[in-house]
Every structure is written in structure tokens, then in C-alpha cells.
Amino acid sequence: MTSSELWTRATADRYDAEEAEASSAAVLGPTLAFLAELAGDGRALEFAIGTGRVGVPLRERGVPVVGIELSEHMAAVLRRKIDEGTLPVVIGDMATTVVPGGFALVYLVYNTITNLLTQDEQVECFRNAARHLEPGGRFVIELGVPPLRLLPPGQVAVPFDVSQQHLGFDTFDLVEQMLVSHHFTRDGDDGHYRRENSRHRYAWPAELDLMARIAGLELERRVADWDGAPFTQDSAKHVSVWRKPA
């Protein structure tokens, strides 16, 4: 067990509805094309596969996918969509859990590496990816760039969503390199909001590159999004690809 916080059954059951926009064809199309191209004719392993937002449609595109997921509740939602024989899922943490066989692609999307709350565990996640990759295989991470430039002196909170249905903001501990993501989500039409929060360890692109080097991987490509836009100092996130030497 790692320091990752477990998703509850209630959270898992409403996850897909609350992430409907992220599951739309407009958002998923470039993601699936990017990953399918890297996988080629090989197998793909998704760390923290969750409810299968990415893994299920990637499998439907013809890429053999295996998943690792810490929360049995999230995996149960995935299992309603696709059977075990078509998309196997192993319950375990992404830093240490090993599944049989080699893979052309290991991927970790939607900021999920930050669920590992220590640097050591994040390093082990890279090592675990390298352990599963065949020579020449790639490890892909999608991760936001910490928005610390938006913090004036004395402020610790940055909003990331302000809408009728949801208020979201992150608070930062700059010493410990931690953030807490706060969510106020409107339930129904009675004006009540549900409050939730989760802890994360944020990491910079250069820090991830060092983790990759420790694991024996080499940076191959870094872009600003799944469409391949150039990564710049103003990019809000990055999609990074590291390669295991042949």
C-alpha cells in the first residue's frame, strides 16, 4: 500500500458523471490517437486505470490494455463496461504492483502521479514503469505544471474551476511540495454543495526527468497537450514521453 488516498464507493459511482467532459470525444480523441500511435502493435499498461475513461476506448481501438488500480470501487465501475478477459485489471498500487509480460507502452494520465504523496514513491513509480517496458518502450505521463506563478506573496490558494455546478481551488504547501485540491460540487437543485478534498504531491517537469533517469529512461518528447502543441514556459500542463533504451 502506498500513501495514495483510496477512492470510496460513492466517489467511484459518480466519477463518470462528474468527468463527462473529460470523457467526450473532443477530449479523448487526441489522447487515444497519441497513445495508440506509441503502442503500435504492442500491449499497453495503464497505471491507475480508474473507471476506464481512457483504457476502455483505447482497448476498443484495438490496443491490448492491462490496468493497475488501487481502488476496488473504481475497478468495479470499469468492470461494468468491459469484461476481465478483454481488459484485465490488477488491484494494487502503481509504484510496486507487477503484472506479467512486457509492454510497448505504460501510461499515467490526468495528474494521477501526484496521488503518490512522497518523492520516493514517485521514483518507484518510474522504476515500476521501466520494469514493465520492453526495450524501446515508452512511459507517458500527463501532468499539470504547478501554477505557483499565480500566487502573490501571502496567498496559498489558486482557483481552477468556477462554475454554477462546481467550485474548485488548490491550496499549496511550498515547503513540503504538497497541494490540497478542494471541490465544492452542487448536488441537485436545492442549493446544497458537497465538499470534498484530496492531497497531492506536485512535481516539476525537470524533477520527473531526474526520476526517469534514475529508472533508466530517457526523455524523448514533451508537448503541451495531446494534440502536440509546443511546450513553453506558459504551458499549463505537459504530456511527457520517456523511452527505455533498446
Side-chain angles (χ1 to χ4, degrees):
M1 178 70 70
T2 69
S3 60
S4 297
E5 297 174 344
L6 276 170
W7 294 82
T8 65
R9 176 176 295 175
T11 301
D13 285 343
R14 60 176 175 257
Y15 182 84
D16 285 347
E18 294 184 347
E19 296 295 338
E21 182 178 353
S23 301
S24 66
V27 173
L28 275 183
T31 306
L32 299 175
F34 192 107
L35 295 174
E37 180 180 3
L38 289 179
D41 296 328
R43 298 198 304 160
L45 173 61
E46 180 170 357
F47 285 174
I49 194 170
T51 66
R53 181 184 69 91
V54 175
V56 171
L58 186 62
R59 181 66 185 90
E60 291 171 346
R61 286 178 68 114
V63 178
V65 177
V66 178
I68 294 175
E69 173 55 42
L70 184 61
S71 169
E72 294 186 23
H73 301 302
M74 295 289 276
V77 175
L78 178 150
R79 193 53 64 222
R80 300 171 196 165
K81 307 172 185 177
I82 194 166
D83 64 86
E84 175 72 18
T86 305
L87 200 167
V89 175
V90 177
I91 301 300
D93 70 83
M94 57 187 165
T96 64
T97 301
V98 177
V99 301
F103 295 85
L105 173 67
V106 178
Y107 65 95
L108 181 54
V109 300
Y110 218 35
N111 301 322
T112 313
I113 193 170
T114 66
N115 290 0
L116 298 170
L117 300 181
T118 70
Q119 186 182 67
D120 286 345
E121 288 173 349
Q122 291 177 353
V123 169
E124 288 305 312
C125 181
F126 272 82
R127 284 178 166 155
N128 201 28
R131 183 181 298 122
H132 285 91
L133 285 173
E134 298 169 341
R138 275 89 169 193
F139 182 34
V140 177
I141 285 182
E142 175 191 24
L143 183 60
V145 177
L148 300 190
R149 290 196 299 172
L150 301 179
L151 288 174
Q155 181 173 312
V156 297
V158 174
F160 58 84
D161 185 31
V162 179
S163 65
Q164 290 294 324
Q165 294 300 120
H166 178 251
L167 302 175
F169 62 92
D170 292 331
T171 53
F172 292 85
D173 182 334
L174 304 185
V175 174
E176 298 296 330
Q177 204 165 311
M178 298 288 293
L179 70 86
V180 178
S181 187
H182 305 264
H183 300 267
F184 293 82
T185 306
R186 190 169 185 172
D187 274 332
D189 298 320
D190 59 3
H192 288 87
Y193 282 79
R194 182 180 70 255
R195 180 177 181 177
E196 298 173 301
N197 60 68
S198 57
R199 296 182 300 149
H200 305 267
R201 182 186 186 273
Y202 64 84
W204 300 95
E207 184 180 7
L208 298 183
D209 290 342
L210 182 56
M211 293 180 188
R213 185 185 304 177
I214 291 170
L217 305 177
E218 302 170 347
L219 180 66
E220 181 176 78
R221 184 184 182 196
R222 173 167 292 129
V223 291
D225 54 36
W226 296 107
D227 287 311
F231 179 75
T232 72
Q233 64 179 2
D234 297 317
S235 297
K237 75 171 187 178
H238 62 98
V239 177
S240 296
V241 181
W242 296 273
R243 182 176 182 270
K244 184 174 183 176

